[in-house]
């Protein structure tokens, strides 16, 4: 398997995934246009079967396994969304799945992963090298390791998010000026950047991260992979990768316009906005791109802006905080 990923891989993934994942709609709301002075196009990935975009990459990677690999099953590590996606894809194909999950992962994500039939292996988020753990578990079982982001088939599948949004924008007679993407390890934005480069070459693609976990922004500025400084809280649990992936950063460095950073308060306000006006439940990590837009992190007047809401698997207690946000 080559580490290189091209737009052709994204197109092939879109064909492979047709009928197997939800083609989420393009949403618009008058209030978003009024606030920004532009035209805002929202891609709501909480509407996927597993509640996040992760199903795209996981399913694409699983579909490309040969029969022997499918029989042996798959292993991954995940704080929740990728784990659910791998579990769902494995169930679809009749494969066993083992998911290493942090012991403090949101209960809703753990239970959702288990409901798809996967085995859960808990670990200490702060004391374990999750990549090494997953590789060891896969080796013990002779299973295939499908990591959350630094994998060419996963990246290609995630790129279908932007491919669909750009196609729907074109159908509405619109061309993107900016695309804001929630960013952890960089798999989603890498696939989206490939799609934008091919289909909307005038669009600037922006990585959006929570405070203290802005390793992609720091890495883009430094021109090399820089780890997060570790000062951020775990509120945006879906985006806590400690540094960009090797494959993802190689794709993102020459293609992204830059990185934007949002605060906890800005994320909570975005979650509340999504619920009140878009009728979408967004988890904290899934709301950071919308948070950046609403907080005015970019000039937006007269622009057409794509915004990815990447997931909606939020713990009820955390969502209650969002509903209480002013």
């Amino acid at each position: 398997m080559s580490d290189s990923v091209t737009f052709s891989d994204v197109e092939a993934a879109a064909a492979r995934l047709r009928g197997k994942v939800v083609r989420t709609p393009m949403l618009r709301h008058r209030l978003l246009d009024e606030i920004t002075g532009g035209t805002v196009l929202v891609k709501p990935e909480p509407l996927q079967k597993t509640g996040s975009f992760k199903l795209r990459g996981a399913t694409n990677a699983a579909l490309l396994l040969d029969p022997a690999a499918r029989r042996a099953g798959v292993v991954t590590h995940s704080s929740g969304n990728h784990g659910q996606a791998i579990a769902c894809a494995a169930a679809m194909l009749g494969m066993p799945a083992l998911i290493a999950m942090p012991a403090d992962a949101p209960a809703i994500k753990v239970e959702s992963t288990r409901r798809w039939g996967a085995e859960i292996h808990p670990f200490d988020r702060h004391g374990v090298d999750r990549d090494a753990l997953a590789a060891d578990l896969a080796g013990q079982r002779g299973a295939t390791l499908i990591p959350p982001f630094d994998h060419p088939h996963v990246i290609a599948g995630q790129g279908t998010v932007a491919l669909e949004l750009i196609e729907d924008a074109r159908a509405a007679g619109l061309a993107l000026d900016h695309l804001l993407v929630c960013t952890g390890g960089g798999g989603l934005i890498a696939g989206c950047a490939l799609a934008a480069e091919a289909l909307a070459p005038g669009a600037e693609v922006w990585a959006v991260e929570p405070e203290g976990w802005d390793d992609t922004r720091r890495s883009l500025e430094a021109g090399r992979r820089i780890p997060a400084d570790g000062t951020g809280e775990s509120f945006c649990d879906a985006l806590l990768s400690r540094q960009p992936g090797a494959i993802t950063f190689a794709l993102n460095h020459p293609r992204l316009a830059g990185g934007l950073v949002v605060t906890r308060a800005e994320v909570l306000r975005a979650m509340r906005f999504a619920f009140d006006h878009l009728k979408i439940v967004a988890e904290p990590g899934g709301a950071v791109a919308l948070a950046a837009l609403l907080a005015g992190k970019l000039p937006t007047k007269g622009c057409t802006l794509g915004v990815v809401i990447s997931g909606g698997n939020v713990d009820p207690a955390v969502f209650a905080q969002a509903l209480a946000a002013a």
Side-chain angles (χ1 to χ4, degrees), residues 15 26 33 116 270 300:
M26 180 181 76
D33 292 354
W116 286 110
T300 55

Side-chain angles (χ1 to χ4, degrees), residues 213-230:
W213 294 97
D214 55 337
D215 46 288
T216 293
R217 181 191 65 81
R218 294 165 183 251
S219 298
L220 291 171
E221 291 179 357
R224 59 187 175 88
R225 291 194 295 156
I226 300 289
D229 63 15

